[in-house]
Amino acid sequence: MITPSAPPRRATKVPRWVRGVLAAGAASTLALGAVAVVSSSASAAASTLGAAAAQSGRYFGTAISAGKLNDSAYTTLAAREFNMVTAENEMKIDATEPSQNQFNFGPGDQVYNWAVSHGMQVRGHTLAWHSQQPGWMQSLSGTALRNAMINHIQKVMAHYQGKLAYWDVVNEAFNEDGSRRQSNLQATGNDWIEVAFRTARAADSSVKLCYNDYNIDNWSYAKTQGVYNMVRDFKSRGVPIDCVGLQAHFTGGSSVPSNFQTTISSFAALGVDVALTEVDVTNASTSQYSALTQACVNVARCVGITVWGVRDSDSWRSGESPLLFDGSGNKKAAYNSVLNVLNSVGGSTPPPTTAAPTTAAPTTNPPTGNCTATISAGSIWNDRYNLSITVTGSTTWTVTMTVPTPAKIIATWNITATWPSSQVLIAKPNGNGNTWGVTIQHNGNWTWPTVTCTT
Ligand code: XIL
């Protein structure tokens, strides 16, 4: 089999359209040259965390509180910098099911709607946890609690069905010594975690299902090994699990261990995505922020980083000033260290190895206004690929992009985005020029999106 001479850094599988191009031989590959292939290494360094992470197909997220959505300094900053959102408290059990089987999605929906109206994806957090349980759940045990957990997962996931990128199905279920944490949920039987995951997969097969915990950053720590062994066991027995979240709270006395990348790559080697889900660092040490970012970008399946709040004043550990923006919304030194690491990856990603897919939809649709949108290939990974879009003929354009199901648009940069659905994106200029991009999770369908440009 012919393989690309310079494979993308992280691709291990050649997409069908690339195989087609390769099989057709060099001459027809050249004949496809009408589509300009833009090397991402030629693009300028990105100026926001979300855009910088997107250059390597990753996201950069934050925790958002519904109660702060009327603070325009907060929302402006968050919308500018991030492209993934976790509700800080609004999708937890006590928030969504305050009385048994009476659900309240108001605050969770506020966070969700704010995120998607700003072109961001959402991580759900969290469905089964010993903490932040409503009073009625705290007092349940045995079969009644097991059934209540199942009902909670089913109802909450039904509400957000098809809308979220990830769900933290189970949070913080281990002790520091690697054994299971005692809790009312654990007392229902050791299988409660796998029951939660199986229930979750049945409730929404579109969302990636994660186990999330803190103090699982140091590879040689007993708790890390305990969680690792559970995930390995789940994978070997077919219990549905797609991702592991390392909360990465390097606050309250902990710091980034020197073997952090080993931990990330070891989890990833089990066949799960890994994400840093709740990052904060005491006094926002620049070296620790660089190190944790570098460890993530060095591992192909480390899909993104979420910091646990926007400004220091928003942090649950505000006394440690652990975030990337100060209380006035100014960028801190740690912000630049993170951005630089993300840009160093984006800038060194090799260009795609071939021209456009043979099966692609027309790359330039007849303009219905007096503008034209041209799509170029970007980086390719196993599960997703980037496209760069350049609009000519107008500076006040609207581009509608449609991807074929089951593909999904999972990230954008350099546009103001609205999302009628995961398959349809409406893009408008955000003041950063006329070249912008998307990351598409192909889910098996590599056909490029169609675009129409109107003015
Ligand atoms: C924290 C929130 O930030 C606080 O506002 C809340 O009072 C307590 O929970 N691990 C988690 C998060 O998974 O949900 C926690 O968030 C922080 C630790």
Side-chain angles (χ1 to χ4, degrees):
M1 170 175 163
I2 306 167
T3 50
S5 54
R9 185 171 55 90
R10 302 199 271 150
T12 55
K13 179 181 160 212
V14 180
R16 188 174 351 112
W17 60 263
V18 173
R19 292 198 299 267
V21 169
L22 292 166
S28 54
T29 302
L30 288 175
L32 291 164
V35 177
V37 176
V38 177
S39 158
S40 57
S41 59
S43 54
S47 59
T48 66
L49 298 167
Q55 294 173 109
S56 67
R58 295 184 171 86
Y59 63 79
F60 208 99
T62 191
I64 290 288
S65 284
K68 292 179 185 155
L69 290 175
N70 54 7
D71 172 348
S72 65
Y74 175 83
T75 54
T76 302
L77 179 55
R80 186 188 76 201
E81 292 290 338
F82 301 101
N83 53 12
M84 179 68 81
V85 162
T86 306
E88 187 171 359
N89 290 296
E90 294 76 356
M91 295 188 193
K92 292 175 179 174
I93 315 169
D94 57 355
T96 51
E97 196 177 354
S99 306
Q100 187 164 14
N101 210 28
Q102 308 265 306
F103 291 86
N104 177 12
F105 296 112
D109 286 355
Q110 270 183 277
V111 174
Y112 174 83
N113 290 333
W114 180 83
V116 296
S117 71
H118 291 86
M120 303 176 179
Q121 295 273 105
V122 178
R123 295 187 91 257
H125 174 77
T126 177
L127 295 165
W129 190 21
H130 69 279
S131 182
Q132 291 182 268
Q133 289 185 0
W136 65 265
M137 184 178 272
Q138 291 175 35
S139 61
L140 287 186
S141 61
T143 308
L145 176 60
R146 176 66 67 88
N147 290 338
M149 176 191 84
I150 292 169
N151 184 57
H152 181 82
I153 293 170
Q154 289 171 336
K155 299 282 169 58
V156 176
M157 289 189 77
H159 180 77
Y160 290 108
Q161 208 274 333
K163 294 179 161 182
L164 305 183
Y166 296 92
W167 255 119
D168 289 333
V169 178
V170 173
N171 199 31
E172 302 182 349
F174 279 74
N175 289 319
E176 300 303 295
D177 69 0
S179 62
R180 290 288 186 88
R181 177 196 290 272
Q182 283 313 310
S183 70
N184 58 348
L185 290 164
Q186 179 65 27
T188 66
N190 204 52
D191 64 343
W192 73 277
I193 299 182
E194 65 187 85
V195 168
F197 276 90
R198 291 189 201 278
T199 305
R201 180 69 100 224
D204 182 355
S205 61
S206 76
V207 62
K208 292 197 179 188
L209 307 177
C210 308
Y211 177 80
N212 193 55
D213 214 330
Y214 63 92
N215 281 356
I216 55 169
D217 315 299
N218 187 327
W219 179 238
S220 53
Y221 194 55
K223 184 174 183 180
T224 311
Q225 291 299 312
V227 173
Y228 176 83
N229 287 332
M230 178 188 74
V231 176
R232 187 173 57 179
D233 170 55
F234 281 11
K235 282 303 215 183
S236 74
R237 290 190 295 113
V239 178
I241 183 167
D242 306 307
C243 35
V244 172
L246 312 187
Q247 292 182 8
H249 287 294
F250 299 118
T251 42
S254 57
S255 53
V256 182
S258 58
N259 59 18
F260 190 44
Q261 187 180 318
T262 301
T263 305
I264 297 172
S265 60
S266 299
F267 276 114
L270 294 175
V272 289
D273 288 351
V274 180
L276 311 188
T277 54
E278 306 182 8
V279 173
D280 44 22
V281 178
T282 301
N283 296 323
S285 153
T286 53
S287 57
Q288 290 196 46
Y289 261 112
S290 313
L292 71 89
T293 307
Q294 190 70 56
C296 177
V297 299
N298 284 350
V299 179
R301 288 199 77 167
C302 186
V303 293
I305 299 174
T306 295
V307 286
W308 204 239
V310 180
R311 304 160 300 195
D312 283 337
S313 49
D314 303 315
S315 169
W316 72 315
R317 288 178 170 167
S318 56
E320 296 187 41
S321 302
L323 296 175
L324 300 176
F325 296 92
D326 69 19
S328 307
N330 300 309
K331 295 171 182 175
K332 295 164 63 180
Y335 172 96
N336 292 318
S337 60
V338 170
L339 189 70
N340 289 342
V341 173
L342 296 173
N343 273 325
S344 72
V345 188
S348 62
T349 303
T353 53
T354 70
T358 48
T359 56
T363 53
T364 308
N365 283 359
T368 48
N370 47 8
C371 57
T372 303
T374 305
I375 309 181
S376 310
S379 301
I380 305 163
W381 301 270
N382 276 350
D383 60 334
R384 62 201 191 280
Y385 60 93
N386 282 357
L387 296 175
S388 168
I389 299 92
T390 298
V391 181
T392 53
S394 166
T395 53
T396 55
W397 39 268
T398 300
V399 172
T400 302
M401 171 178 281
T402 306
V403 295
T405 51
K408 281 198 213 174
I409 303 168
I410 59 168
T412 68
W413 56 97
N414 275 355
I415 50 169
T416 299
T418 46
W419 304 78
S421 75
S422 297
Q423 272 76 40
V424 182
L425 164 72
I426 298 173
K428 294 177 187 288
N430 72 347
N432 278 338
N434 298 317
T435 296
W436 48 281
V438 294
T439 301
I440 295 172
Q441 186 179 77
H442 59 77
N443 293 323
N445 190 336
W446 288 88
T447 308
W448 276 14
T450 56
V451 287
T452 55
C453 190
T454 54
T455 54

